[in-house]
Amino acid sequence: MDILVHTLSHYPEVNSSIKMEVGIEDCLHIEFEYNKSKYHLKDVIVGKIYFLLVRIKIKHMELAIIKRETTGSGPNTFNENETLAKYEIMDGAPVRGESIPIRLFLSGYELTPTMRDINKKFSVRYYLNLVLVDEEERRYFKQQEIVLWRKPDKIKKPVNLQNAVKSASTKME
């Protein structure tokens, strides 16, 4: 059984940027920044990753969009995670002071708006997952929740049929 929900959202009043510092003590310290935390379904995620300290040998870095659906409540809660997109955004070892730009277009994916606790039984949430993989295949990651919203359709002016018919008949005469 499929369920279809079409929700329209308003432009978010507060849409602050995301800026976080993460790291492993005395080994790795990075700062990542995304231009905002709430995106419409056809938006572009723009950001940068800064390497402040690099003392481990990083092989590559990935960015993924993860969709997490939660249904049910209490002990009958069911979670399902789906990786919608995964990109390798860096290959090779970075050096201190290096910055990696990020530009991820959302329009190529069949996304739905974020839905939080609908009737306390259903949620759809999205996360940006930044993963660094070292030469020993150890994975270091940081997830950041983002909010997706649907832009309302463009409002079309109603056409008055009587005026349209009058103007058409006038042009024919």
Side-chain angles (χ1 to χ4, degrees), residues 41-103:
L41 298 178
K42 305 296 180 194
D43 216 336
V44 180
I45 296 173
V46 177
K48 277 193 175 182
I49 298 165
Y50 303 99
F51 289 88
L52 305 172
L53 175 66
V54 183
R55 290 193 181 143
I56 57 176
K57 295 189 179 193
I58 297 173
K59 191 164 71 171
H60 67 272
M61 181 167 45
E62 303 168 346
L63 182 66
I65 300 174
I66 297 174
K67 176 181 176 180
R68 181 172 296 144
E69 290 185 10
T70 306
T71 55
S73 62
N76 298 325
T77 302
F78 178 74
N79 291 308
E80 182 179 340
N81 291 332
E82 180 183 359
T83 301
L84 302 175
K86 185 189 278 189
Y87 291 100
E88 187 174 288
I89 57 175
M90 182 192 77
D91 186 22
V95 295
R96 182 180 183 271
E98 189 171 358
S99 72
I100 307 293
I102 295 171
R103 186 172 295 265

Side-chain angles (χ1 to χ4, degrees), residues 117-164:
D117 302 323
I118 306 299
N119 290 332
K120 297 185 180 180
K121 294 187 186 238
F122 180 71
S123 293
V124 177
R125 296 176 186 235
Y126 291 91
Y127 297 87
L128 290 176
N129 192 32
L130 184 64
V131 181
L132 286 94
V133 181
D134 70 9
E135 289 184 343
E136 297 172 11
E137 295 299 320
R138 290 183 295 214
R139 300 172 73 80
Y140 308 93
F141 67 93
K142 181 67 178 174
Q143 279 190 358
Q144 177 63 47
E145 184 175 3
I146 58 172
V147 174
L148 298 181
W149 56 279
R150 183 185 315 275
K151 273 187 173 180
D153 296 332
K154 291 182 181 177
I155 299 172
K156 297 178 183 175
K157 293 182 181 179
V159 176
N160 186 336
L161 291 177
Q162 290 176 342
N163 290 340

Side-chain angles (χ1 to χ4, degrees), residues 5-31:
V5 177
H6 185 83
T7 57
L8 297 178
S9 304
H10 299 288
Y11 187 82
E13 292 178 19
V14 177
N15 197 356
S16 56
S17 64
I18 300 170
K19 189 172 184 176
M20 297 183 80
E21 291 184 22
V22 295
I24 304 165
E25 194 172 333
D26 297 328
C27 291
L28 176 70
H29 192 77
I30 63 172
E31 178 180 283

